[in-house]
Amino acid sequence: MPEPANTALLPAGLHDVLPPDAAHEAAAVERLMAEFAGHGYERVKPPLVEFEESLLAASGAAMTQQTFRLMDPLSQKTMAVRADITPQVARIATSRLTKAPRPLRLCYAGQVLRVKGTQLRHERQFAQAGVELIGALEPEADAEVVLLAARALEVVGVRRPTVDLCVPTMVPLICRALGISDEDTATLRAALDRKDIAAVTAVGGPAAPLLERLIAASGPAERAMRALEALELPDAAEKDRRRLRAVMALLRAAQPDLTVTIDLVEYRGFEYHSGLSFTLFARGVRGELGAGGRYRTGTGGEDAGEPATGFTLFMDTVLRAVPMTPPPRRLFLPHGTPTDVAARLRGEGWVTVAGLAHADDEAAEARRLRCGHRLAGGATHAVS
Amino acid sequence: MPEPANTALLPAGLHDVLPPDAAHEAAAVERLMAEFAGHGYERVKPPLVEFEESLLAASGAAMTQQTFRLMDPLSQKTMAVRADITPQVARIATSRLTKAPRPLRLCYAGQVLRVKGTQLRHERQFAQAGVELIGALEPEADAEVVLLAARALEVVGVRRPTVDLCVPTMVPLICRALGISDEDTATLRAALDRKDIAAVTAVGGPAAPLLERLIAASGPAERAMRALEALELPDAAEKDRRRLRAVMALLRAAQPDLTVTIDLVEYRGFEYHSGLSFTLFARGVRGELGAGGRYRTGTGGEDAGEPATGFTLFMDTVLRAVPMTPPPRRLFLPHGTPTDVAARLRGEGWVTVAGLAHADDEAAEARRLRCGHRLAGGATHAVS
């Protein structure tokens, strides 16, 4: 459809999604949700708005700066518009579904709203779709969500999605074991996110040689694992290596051709994660298609709440990696076409477009209404 | 799933939709959208939030009191969270799709948020799904949207939906023709909404006899039309009678068994409508399933913007009229079930629930995870 330049009507980062994109997005979301449901994940739908104190509790705190507030005239309390659905699903699991058997598999899809866009994502509203697997600590749980994310992306048409695994807990464990101060650890993490070897060398002290080797080891999964296995790690970091090894083995057994890379030093974006985490990419598409990983449903340390893992797909980016489906076959029905005839044609797969008044030139009218076919004399005819 | 009483976490009128209800709602929405699409209505997705001045312009003004406001830090302007999607679709039609051929058929589904619930609808957030048919003035357009609304409701499982037609313009035209003051007309309209014959008699003056007969005529469509045809109407109201007659003839030709009632005096809820309007009900279900009718896309009288008609379905009420679908067949897969076996079983229609660790008693584990079947020895077995 034509799009005049008159789009200044909407605030920056907010958009009207027009035909055929809106239908394309909805179909992709529902296809993803069907895949999640097939793996036993049951759909929940939290509200767009909650009390601020509940929405920004626990892992929700990461979104404090990105969250719009509203005053609730009924309760006189501050409400917040969700900027992320994951914390809401964790809340549901630990409140209303606290008695449901574990592991609890939940999935969701919905819109989120953010105060500001980022350089990589100008949109302030976009759709999220994802899963949470709650109450399971096994490597099998980590592998299940990674494989499901990759599989779901393939199902909606993403060609060869890439999984970037990381273990955001490993660097802090190494730093603590080697006596690095919290302040230096924070500096190192920022340097590691930038892969800034000079800064790591300068600040790393006794941890520098190991951290440099972790940077060098990052890359394609098999090579990264070989390099990681060759390293001498502090005992405290051993559990992270063991987990990565176990999950990689499960991923390879299940899907040998999945493209997996490993980043052993990445931290950015995983501040609230407590274990194996991952990011999803597609070749040739800018930005993350999704992200996920391990976290705890409560606040206050390693034993808070329940162990959980999951992922969220960002539909704005996912759709850039999904080929457009062919447009529906539109059939023009001349004025007065009986209802049962129209219903039969829809049953045959046609999209019917009814003429609301007599048209002298029905072929021209069909063309004007973007119909590739028209009904005449009881039969369908292509409109040249 | 069990639901503990811990629901005080959320503001009044906002809810977590849990399994299986969330999946049920999503499936119903997409089934409705597929029906709309089959009739040539193309999907649009306006944002949750717009500038207040654009969201509450034209027909959006009806929702001023029900709309939450937000300050946009980027533009320093007031934004508003939509309380209704219809005005957004009209805005899209008259801005970004102004050059698309008419009639323009658009459909939409999404969440709306309202400041307060009403007596009939406690929910402050609910899903709307609907269509707009823009740029068509023919009775065929009125009939198309009425029939589509009824058909779509039947498709999602509503048994024998009822259409209540009304013509909110007729009473004002009659009052003006008979010299009733604007003030008395407003009083009469309120009285007519209550079907308060005593008040109508008291205030109606020269219009009272006719208005009383319009009240009496309201009811099942065929009887109402016969009564209406027997009335002597001022010339100005003649076009409304002609329109009603034409639309009823089209409805009867298309679907003779559709239950239609006619209310000749109803006004409440149709303050922004400019012609034939309707409400949708289902036997035994409290509240409206949806509403729609004629309006103009612009403000300022009979010639403002374009002629349009459409309807919105309120999913909270619709779902009360839709029977629950049978739950999916959940199949427990013991720990270590190969990925390709699981994929094949999903292909056969099973929802697979993977065991993440060894279970001594797999039947008990399947039962615990609410699976009716389990895989053992390469075959599926019912779990007693």
Side-chain angles (χ1 to χ4, degrees), chain A residues 1 3-4 16-17 25 38 42 45 48 72 91 96 102 105 125 140 335 352 354 368 370, chain B residues 1 3-4 16-17 25 38 42 45 48 72 91 96 102 105 124-125 140 335 352 354 368 370:
Chain A
M1 285 197 179
E3 294 187 24
D16 293 318
V17 187
E25 174 181 316
E42 295 181 283
K45 181 191 145 193
L48 289 170
D72 180 14
R91 176 185 57 70
R96 298 191 62 188
R102 265 48 177 174
R105 290 175 169 95
Q125 179 190 329
E140 283 81 354
H335 182 235
T352 61
R368 194 182 69 80
R370 295 178 295 113
Chain B
M1 287 199 176
E3 293 185 27
D16 293 318
V17 186
E25 175 181 316
E42 295 182 283
K45 181 190 146 195
L48 289 170
D72 180 13
R91 176 185 57 70
R96 299 191 62 187
R102 267 45 178 174
R105 289 175 170 93
R124 292 200 284 169
Q125 179 191 329
E140 282 81 354
H335 182 235
T352 61
R368 193 181 70 79
R370 296 178 295 112

Side-chain angles (χ1 to χ4, degrees), chain A residues 71-87:
Chain A
M71 177 55 69
D72 180 14
L74 300 188
S75 64
Q76 299 288 328
K77 289 171 69 177
T78 305
M79 303 195 299
V81 184
R82 67 179 177 207
D84 185 14
I85 303 178
T86 306

Side-chain angles (χ1 to χ4, degrees), chain A residues 168-173 184-194 265 267-268 271:
Chain A
T169 46
M170 196 190 291
V171 166
L173 288 172
D184 283 349
T185 299
T187 309
L188 279 169
R189 283 180 154 187
L192 288 165
D193 276 341
R194 298 192 308 269
V265 299
Y267 179 64
R268 181 180 34 215
E271 291 82 354

Side-chain angles (χ1 to χ4, degrees), chain A residues 1-4 6-7 9-11 14-19 22-23 25-26 30 37-40 42-51 68-74 79 91-92 95-105 111 113 115-116 124-125 136 138 140-141 144 254 330 335 339 346 351-354 356-357 368-370, chain B residues 1-4 6-7 9-11 14-19 22-23 25-26 30 37-40 42-51 68-74 79 91-92 95-105 111 113 115-116 124-125 136 138 140-141 144 254 330 335 339 346 351-354 356-357 368-370:
Chain A
M1 285 197 179
E3 294 187 24
N6 187 3
T7 56
L9 289 161
L10 293 176
L14 295 167
H15 300 287
D16 293 318
V17 187
L18 299 184
E25 174 181 316
E30 292 310 316
H39 287 76
E42 295 181 283
R43 190 170 189 147
V44 292
K45 181 191 145 193
L48 289 170
V49 163
E50 293 190 22
F51 287 129
F68 278 108
R69 269 67 161 194
L70 296 169
M71 177 55 69
D72 180 14
L74 300 188
M79 303 195 299
R91 176 185 57 70
I92 291 174
S95 60
R96 298 191 62 188
L97 298 181
T98 187
K99 290 183 180 161
R102 265 48 177 174
L104 178 62
R105 290 175 169 95
Q111 304 294 316
L113 192 67
V115 170
K116 290 181 181 176
R124 293 201 284 170
Q125 179 190 329
E138 295 88 350
E140 283 81 354
E144 175 170 309
R330 288 164 65 92
H335 182 235
T339 313
R346 281 190 296 273
V351 165
T352 61
V353 176
L356 299 174
R368 194 182 69 80
L369 293 172
R370 295 178 295 113
Chain B
M1 287 199 176
E3 293 185 27
N6 188 2
T7 54
L9 288 162
L10 293 175
L14 295 168
H15 300 287
D16 293 318
V17 186
L18 299 184
E25 175 181 316
E30 292 310 317
H39 287 75
E42 295 182 283
R43 191 169 187 148
V44 293
K45 181 190 146 195
L48 289 170
V49 163
E50 293 189 22
F51 287 129
F68 278 108
R69 267 69 161 192
L70 296 169
M71 178 54 70
D72 180 13
L74 300 189
M79 303 194 299
R91 176 185 57 70
I92 290 174
S95 59
R96 299 191 62 187
L97 298 182
T98 187
K99 290 182 180 161
R102 267 45 178 174
L104 178 62
R105 289 175 170 93
Q111 304 294 317
L113 192 67
V115 171
K116 292 182 181 175
R124 292 200 284 169
Q125 179 191 329
E138 295 88 351
E140 282 81 354
E144 175 171 308
R330 287 165 66 92
H335 182 235
T339 315
R346 281 190 295 274
V351 165
T352 61
V353 177
L356 299 174
R368 193 181 70 79
L369 293 173
R370 296 178 295 112

